[in-house]
């Protein structure tokens, strides 16, 4: 038998995987933050000229790196300012390779440049490559190294007792 009763249906929310897909484009996008202002202008870049007019590493007499202080993660202009403020500094070497930035404050006279594209060597104005004072308006470029003199011959080894001379050959049998 069928009894007619008033049946009430309850509204139960569907689980998320059974709900129809709806686009959320009807929602307004979140408010955007105002655009960032451009960075402040950097100080005028007045870098000293490249020593020798080309990129390369600073070298002292004999072609070695010489004596210098290292400072990491400063810009080339800041490196130059540090050198200008130091009476002992005669040149800067600046290495920039990818994220690495290294400032070298050289304390020894610079005699030559080793060509390396990611490095610059800049001699403090008023100094010649050899580190001696020049006229205030003169900035001389580094000069190449003179060829090294030949190495001297090694000293003779100390006298050793004479080795016995080999015996004379024996005469052939008759």
């Amino acid at each position: 038998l069928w009894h007619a009763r008033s049946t009430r249906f309850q509204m139960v929310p569907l689980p998320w995987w059974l709900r129809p897909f709806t686009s959320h484009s009807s929602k307004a996008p979140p408010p955007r933050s105002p655009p960032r202002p451009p960075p402040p202008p950097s100080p005028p870049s007045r870098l000293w000229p490249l020593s020798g007019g080309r990129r390369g590493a600073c070298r002292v007499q004999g072609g070695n790196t010489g004596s210098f202080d290292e400072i990491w993660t400063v810009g080339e202009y800041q490196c130059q300012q540090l050198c200008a403020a130091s009476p002992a500094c005669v040149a800067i070497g600046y290495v920039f390779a990818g994220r690495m930035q290294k400032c070298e404050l050289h304390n020894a006279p610079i005699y030559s440049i080793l060509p390396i594209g990611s490095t610059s060597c800049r001699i403090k104005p008023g100094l010649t490559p050899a580190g001696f004072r020049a006229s205030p308006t003169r900035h001389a470029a580094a000069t190449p190294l003179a060829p090294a003199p030949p190495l001297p011959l090694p000293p003779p080894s100390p006298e050793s007792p004479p080795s016995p001379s080999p015996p004379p050959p024996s005469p052939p049998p008759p």
Side-chain angles (χ1 to χ4, degrees):
L1 281 160
W2 175 256
H3 292 285
R5 284 189 174 179
S6 69
T7 314
R8 292 197 332 191
F9 293 99
Q10 269 188 323
M11 292 294 288
V12 178
L14 291 174
W16 67 268
W17 61 87
L18 293 176
R19 291 180 196 158
F21 175 76
T22 57
S23 169
H24 296 287
S25 63
S26 62
K27 289 184 180 180
R32 285 186 162 182
S33 59
R36 290 183 182 174
S42 58
S45 178
R46 299 196 194 280
L47 292 173
W48 302 330
L50 286 171
S51 187
R54 61 185 176 166
R55 295 211 172 273
C58 300
R59 291 295 181 253
V60 298
Q61 191 170 19
N64 298 318
T65 58
S67 169
F68 60 86
D69 297 319
E70 280 183 4
I71 300 169
W72 292 83
T73 66
V74 298
E76 191 170 12
Y77 184 72
Q78 294 153 333
C79 181
Q80 179 178 293
Q81 288 176 324
L82 291 169
C83 181
S86 169
C89 182
V90 297
I92 66 165
Y94 192 77
V95 180
F96 48 96
R99 292 183 180 202
M100 185 182 83
Q101 296 175 344
K102 179 176 76 165
C103 168
E104 300 172 349
L105 300 176
H106 286 268
N107 302 319
I110 303 301
Y111 280 81
S112 65
I113 303 301
L114 178 66
I116 299 174
S118 63
T119 304
S120 62
C121 179
R122 300 177 188 275
I123 296 176
K124 187 187 272 188
L127 299 177
T128 63
F132 300 107
R133 292 276 167 204
S135 64
T137 58
R138 183 175 168 204
H139 180 81
T143 55
L145 287 174
L151 294 173
L153 294 174
S157 59
E159 288 286 328
S160 57
S163 59
S165 54
S170 57

